[in-house]
Amino acid sequence: MSMVEVVQLLLSPAHRYMGRPADGPAATHEDELVETVEVRRNLGIVGDRYFGHPAHRRASITLMAVENLPTQINAAVDLRQTRRNVLLRGVEIDAYVGSAISLDSGSGPILLAVNTAARPCAWMNATIGAGAQRAMMGKGGVRCTPLSDGVLTLGPAAFATTVTDAQGTR
């Protein structure tokens, strides 16, 4: 087990990146950055645009390392531009594809199956700046399925790899 930091949490109830990147994202009427999110097993983050959608069960939560944000392109880049849900400091999360991990920010561990890489798309160039898609190749974060219920909050968190089966049991 190691200690990491949950730097940002994004709860986005609406799709903002539809159509062509050149047209820009849809407007949001609220701050999507939150201090706490509720996670439900096999469903995702309560209130998020992908919560409970069968097509997104293997990608209902996305994690990214703050160290991989393309700050050289845009110093103010955060989860609102990348559209990932959880921004972590202190772990190279992209290396954990195919693993099961545990993240505990104080309310008990949440188990996540790290299924695939979250590949950056052309929207990154539109929302972050020219060259962002290329800069994030191979380090755009990971797409996960929650294997347990729980709560994530900003701040310190325990991070560990776990041995689980498809139902999330150890």
Side-chain angles (χ1 to χ4, degrees), residues 1-167:
M1 179 172 33
S2 61
M3 292 305 292
V4 299
E5 180 186 359
V6 178
V7 177
Q8 286 184 329
L9 295 167
L10 180 96
L11 177 66
S12 177
H15 292 278
R16 293 190 55 224
Y17 295 178
M18 299 187 316
R20 296 177 303 182
D23 295 335
T28 182
H29 300 288
E30 59 192 67
D31 191 1
E32 299 168 319
L33 296 177
V34 296
E35 293 185 16
T36 303
V37 293
E38 183 180 354
V39 176
R40 292 283 182 222
R41 180 177 179 240
N42 292 324
L43 297 173
I45 296 174
V46 175
D48 190 70
R49 65 202 178 281
Y50 293 129
F51 182 78
H53 288 242
H56 295 283
R57 288 227 171 101
R58 292 183 45 83
S60 60
I61 297 177
T62 53
L63 285 70
M64 185 174 183
V66 70
E67 294 86 354
N68 291 335
L69 288 174
T71 55
Q72 72 280 10
I73 294 170
N74 179 346
V77 64
D78 63 27
L79 289 181
R80 290 172 289 197
Q81 292 86 31
T82 65
R83 306 308 288 168
R84 304 325 189 228
N85 299 111
V86 181
L87 189 61
L88 300 172
R89 174 177 285 124
V91 62
E92 186 52 54
I93 195 65
D94 296 274
Y96 289 91
V97 171
S99 301
I101 63 167
S102 169
L103 197 56
D104 185 349
S105 60
S107 298
I110 297 175
L111 302 177
L112 300 165
V114 183
N115 299 315
T116 61
R119 292 182 177 86
C121 65
W123 276 102
M124 299 302 109
N125 292 336
T127 61
I128 298 169
Q133 180 182 12
R134 180 177 298 249
M136 292 174 62
M137 289 293 196
K139 51 188 175 183
V142 294
R143 300 184 185 282
C144 304
T145 302
L147 302 176
S148 64
D149 294 346
V151 174
L152 278 178
T153 58
L154 296 178
F159 175 90
T161 56
T162 65
V163 177
T164 62
D165 62 20
Q167 286 74 46

